[in-house]
């Protein structure tokens, strides 16, 4: 079964490194890769804290995990783990000989330190594994070093081995240099303040410079355990304006652009010297409705909004290569996905639902969104759609830190987040939409999308937990189908609108670049040909 589609991409041209580059441009050197992107959401480079999409690509190249997920083969592969054994009660990992960038050896103690640190920090990054019963209280007894090169992770009653392996292959499974990190611990912060702006990994590159909303510069790690990269330097340049990024890509200032508008992506369709890769993330562009605010606490109002959005029109005019309409939180071509409900644009039905809910004259609210393509245009289109059914919506744009903070603090009416699948299965895709074990304010579960929307779903959460612990694959898949049906019937407050793709435009000089569905794209195997 094919969960993700990711083509091997060829191609790119290189360019100037810094934002203050002179007016004369030349192709970037063959030993450098320059990626034009948006760094607005890169808030922390601590791998046990930073979860944003663009952060993940930086972390994927500076850290290793025990295992990685190869989206081209749909298989898990060893990274720091040369092999692993699965038994009825746990998973045992056998480590390869590797060094951190500092020269310190990678040991089982580093793996244990990293994973326990994830739960001790208790940031949103830990949410995906906490749902399986791992937390600050249990981690030290469940995650242990058998010897210097062997790590044992015991299973809880809430997880099957396959799901645990997929979660460990994500960015939160990154292994940090415990010896180096412990040198920088201040006030029992587990080294977080230092790791926010530094790296301590064993990946193919090391961080040399990070200027927020400007540039991230990585340089080759001479102590990397794998094959040496032909790239000496990788630069992520903050290019939030799509037209500027398009021009820079055309004239060779950047090799790759991954934050273009749909129109600018289409500009390169069929253009000689460029390749478009449309990576299927398994995630969604969603509409978060704050069920703790009136009138969004009313299921009829949420249904009205669902019937008041022109998904097909927005998909055609705005998303294009960024996605396709889908209102069930499992991609339509994944095993176990159910058909889409009839939540098409139906203004008359939407107005009738508002009247039934007690709002015949509508009401006013706000839509918050990160100022980034394609979400700003989506917010504007939704604003216009809602006006047709009597809802006045004001769009509030902000940077990543502002909007993410508002989302985590439940400080919004409507908000447009994006999700990724926790793993390439129906249950993995459902996790962001059906996981909320404790909706109380005291739980402060800000890493949980459903909690952020103040949507209390004890029945859905219970079914999700039962499905996660079910060992029979066929039964687990049937439970995933039932979870989708129950989700639709619940008038969701975390509402999937579009299956999310990640279009990446690459210059044909770049060879071996393949976008990863979770943005964990490693570039150490990338090579570049001479410019024409």
């Amino acid at each position: 079964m094919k969960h993700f589609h990711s083509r091997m991409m060829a191609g790119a041209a290189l360019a100037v490194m810094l934002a203050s580059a002179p007016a004369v441009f030349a192709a970037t050197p063959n030993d450098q890769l320059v990626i034009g992107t948006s760094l607005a959401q890169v808030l922390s480079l601590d791998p046990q804290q930073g979860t944003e999409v663009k952060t993940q690509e930086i972390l994927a190249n500076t850290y290793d995990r025990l295992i990685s997920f190869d989206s081209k083969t749909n298989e898990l592969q060893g990274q720091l783990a040369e092999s692993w054994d699965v038994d009825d009660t746990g998973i045992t990992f056998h480590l390869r000989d590797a060094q951190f960038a500092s020269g310190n050896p990678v040991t089982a103690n580093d793996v244990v330190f990293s994973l326990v640190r994830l739960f001790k920090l208790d940031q949103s990054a830990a949410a995906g594994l906490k749902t399986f019963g791992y937390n600050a209280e249990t981690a030290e007894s469940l995650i242990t070093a058998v010897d210097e090169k062997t790590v044992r992770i015991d299973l809880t009653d809430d997880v099957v081995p396959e799901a645990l392996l997929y979660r460990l292959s994500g960015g939160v499974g990154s292994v940090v240099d415990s010896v180096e990190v412990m040198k920088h611990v201040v006030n029992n912060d587990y080294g977080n303040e230092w790791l926010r702006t530094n790296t301590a990994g064993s990946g193919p590159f090391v961080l040399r410079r990070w200027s927020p909303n400007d540039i991230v510069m990585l340089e080759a790690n001479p102590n990397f355990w794998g094959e040496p990269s032909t790239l000496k330097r990788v630069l992520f340049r903050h290019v939030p304006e799509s037209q500027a990024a398009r021009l820079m890509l055309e004239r060779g200032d950047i090799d790759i652009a991954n934050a273009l508008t749909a129109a600018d992506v289409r500009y390169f369709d069929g253009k000689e010297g460029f390749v478009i890769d449309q990576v299927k993330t398994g995630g969604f562009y969603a509409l978060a409705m704050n069920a703790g605010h009136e009138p969004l606490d009313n299921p009829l109002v949420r249904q009205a909004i669902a019937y008041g959005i022109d998904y097909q029109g927005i998909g055609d005019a705005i998303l294009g290569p960024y996605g396709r309409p889908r209102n069930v939180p499992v991609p339509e071509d994944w095993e176990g996905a159910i058909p889409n409900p009839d939540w098409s644009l139906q203004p008359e039905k939407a107005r009738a639902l508002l009247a039934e809910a007690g709002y015949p004259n509508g009401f006013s609210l706000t839509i918050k969104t990160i100022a980034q393509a394609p979400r700003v245009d989506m917010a504007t289109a939704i604003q216009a759609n809602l006006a047709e059914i009597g809802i006045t919506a004001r769009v509030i744009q902000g940077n990543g830190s502002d909007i993410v903070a508002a989302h985590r603090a439940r400080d919004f009416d409507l908000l447009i987040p994006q999700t990724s699948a926790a793993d390439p299965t129906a249950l993995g895709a459902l996790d962001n939409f059906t996981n909320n074990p404790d909706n109380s304010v005291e739980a402060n579960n800000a890493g949980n999308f459903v909690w952020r929307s103040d949507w209390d779903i004890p029945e859905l959460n219970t079914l999700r937990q039962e499905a996660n612990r079910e060992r029979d694959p066929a039964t687990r898949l049937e439970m995933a189908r039932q979870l989708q049906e129950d989700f639709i019937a619940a008038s969701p407050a975390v509402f999937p609108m579009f299956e999310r793709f990640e279009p990446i435009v690459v210059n044909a000089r770049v060879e071996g670049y393949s976008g990863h569905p979770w943005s964990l794209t490693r570039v150490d195997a990338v090579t570049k040909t001479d410019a024409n």
Side-chain angles (χ1 to χ4, degrees):
M1 179 190 62
K2 190 174 184 181
H3 293 300
F4 293 116
H5 172 70
S6 180
R7 297 193 303 270
M8 287 296 292
M9 302 190 309
L14 208 39
V16 290
M17 301 176 199
L18 306 177
S20 57
V24 176
F25 301 94
T28 52
N30 286 357
D31 62 357
Q32 298 178 23
L33 183 71
V34 183
I35 300 172
T37 188
S38 170
L39 299 175
Q41 294 187 70
V42 179
L43 311 177
S44 169
L45 295 181
D46 186 332
Q48 275 91 50
Q49 181 181 44
T51 59
E52 292 75 21
V53 169
K54 305 305 179 184
T55 303
Q56 293 304 301
E57 190 163 0
I58 298 167
L59 298 178
N61 286 285
T62 50
Y63 290 90
D64 292 315
R65 293 143 279 148
L66 286 169
I67 52 180
S68 63
F69 174 69
D70 187 332
S71 59
K72 297 186 293 295
T73 63
N74 289 325
E75 294 178 350
L76 292 166
Q77 299 180 341
Q79 206 163 76
L80 285 177
E82 283 190 313
S83 63
W84 57 93
D85 306 313
V86 179
D87 57 49
D88 290 340
T89 61
I91 307 173
T92 302
F93 298 90
H94 307 282
L95 304 184
R96 70 173 69 250
D97 289 328
Q99 288 183 323
F100 290 106
S102 66
N104 295 326
V106 177
T107 69
N109 286 332
D110 294 301
V111 177
V112 173
F113 174 87
S114 302
L115 294 178
V116 170
R117 180 180 185 272
L118 173 68
F119 300 108
K120 295 291 187 181
L121 279 178
D122 200 21
Q123 301 282 320
S124 61
L129 282 166
K130 284 172 67 177
T131 190
F132 291 154
Y134 299 92
N135 53 53
E137 288 71 40
T138 64
E140 288 176 295
S141 62
L142 295 171
I143 306 169
T144 56
V146 177
D147 57 40
E148 190 172 90
K149 289 295 183 182
T150 310
V151 177
R152 172 77 177 179
I153 303 181
D154 292 329
L155 298 173
T156 71
D157 292 334
D158 298 323
V159 64
V160 297
E162 178 192 42
L164 178 58
L165 287 168
Y166 279 131
R167 298 294 168 96
L168 291 173
S169 73
V172 298
S174 299
V175 177
V176 303
D177 183 342
S178 63
V179 174
E180 190 66 25
V181 172
M182 288 302 295
K183 295 177 183 177
H184 301 279
V185 173
V186 178
N187 297 325
N188 297 316
D189 72 341
Y190 303 97
N192 172 248
E193 187 62 30
W194 182 75
L195 267 185
R196 288 172 62 89
T197 56
N198 294 273
T199 56
S202 57
F205 298 93
V206 295
L207 178 69
R208 284 290 175 251
R209 175 184 171 190
W210 174 26
S211 297
N213 291 331
D214 180 13
I215 195 168
V216 172
M217 181 187 296
L218 309 181
E219 290 186 352
N221 173 13
N223 291 323
F224 180 51
W225 54 267
E227 290 293 324
S229 176
T230 62
L231 299 174
K232 293 182 179 179
R233 182 175 289 124
V234 179
L235 295 102
F236 298 85
R237 296 187 57 185
H238 183 53
V239 192
E241 293 294 331
S242 179
Q243 287 190 340
R246 189 193 78 192
L247 292 172
M248 293 171 71
L249 188 59
E250 276 195 289
R251 66 193 182 195
D253 298 346
I254 59 178
D255 300 312
I256 297 170
N258 62 18
L260 298 173
T261 63
D264 284 327
V265 172
R266 291 190 186 100
Y267 173 83
F268 289 98
D269 190 14
K271 188 175 179 62
E272 184 178 358
F274 298 92
V275 176
I276 300 174
D277 189 32
Q278 191 180 49
V279 182
K280 292 177 66 177
T281 69
F284 291 82
Y285 290 109
L287 184 64
M289 309 184 207
N290 195 332
H293 288 187
E294 293 184 2
L296 298 168
D297 59 340
N298 190 323
L300 292 174
V301 169
R302 299 198 297 268
Q303 288 181 41
I305 291 174
Y307 284 111
I309 298 174
D310 184 3
Y311 308 103
Q312 195 60 55
I314 294 173
D316 292 342
I318 295 172
L319 259 72
Y322 274 93
R324 60 186 177 193
R326 174 73 171 161
N327 303 123
V328 180
V330 176
E332 64 181 38
D333 55 355
W334 282 22
E335 185 178 18
I338 68 171
N340 212 58
D342 185 25
W343 274 339
S344 57
L345 176 63
Q346 299 181 47
E348 291 184 6
K349 185 168 186 174
R351 286 191 288 267
L353 284 165
L354 287 178
E356 184 181 352
Y359 300 95
N361 299 317
F363 49 83
S364 298
L365 44 69
T366 61
I367 306 174
K368 292 187 176 181
T369 181
I370 292 173
Q372 182 175 310
R375 283 186 270 184
V376 171
D377 290 339
M378 289 168 58
T380 302
I382 292 170
Q383 176 189 41
N385 287 163
L386 295 182
E388 294 183 19
I389 65 172
I391 298 175
T392 301
R394 180 168 63 95
V395 174
I396 299 175
Q397 302 180 35
N399 59 33
S401 58
D402 291 339
I403 300 302
V404 171
H407 195 195
R408 291 175 176 171
R410 296 176 166 179
D411 179 23
F412 66 95
D413 294 328
L414 303 179
L415 189 144
I416 302 178
Q418 64 182 33
T419 74
S420 295
D423 56 63
T425 65
L427 282 176
L430 281 160
D431 196 72
N432 274 317
F433 297 87
T434 58
N435 175 4
N436 192 12
D438 185 349
N439 193 54
S440 68
V441 174
E442 293 74 24
N444 192 28
N445 195 4
N448 184 301
F449 269 35
V450 178
W451 183 91
R452 294 181 193 182
S453 281
D454 200 2
W455 188 37
D456 199 12
I457 51 169
E459 294 84 5
L460 282 172
N461 188 73
T462 297
L463 179 56
R464 178 193 59 82
Q465 290 176 326
E466 292 173 353
N468 280 337
R469 67 173 69 102
E470 174 57 52
R471 295 296 179 99
D472 179 65
T475 303
R476 191 164 63 246
L477 195 63
E478 189 54 43
M479 295 172 80
R481 293 190 181 97
Q482 185 62 53
L483 197 55
Q484 294 167 74
E485 297 283 2
D486 293 352
F487 172 84
I488 292 168
S491 302
V494 184
F495 181 66
M497 298 185 293
F498 305 96
E499 187 181 339
R500 184 171 70 85
F501 304 155
E502 188 80 12
I504 305 170
V505 183
V506 185
N507 186 287
R509 291 180 59 207
V510 175
E511 298 179 352
Y513 183 95
S514 182
H516 192 278
W518 304 332
S519 295
L520 298 171
T521 307
R522 295 266 276 218
V523 299
D524 52 302
V526 166
T527 59
K528 294 175 63 177
T529 59
D530 291 335
N532 294 328

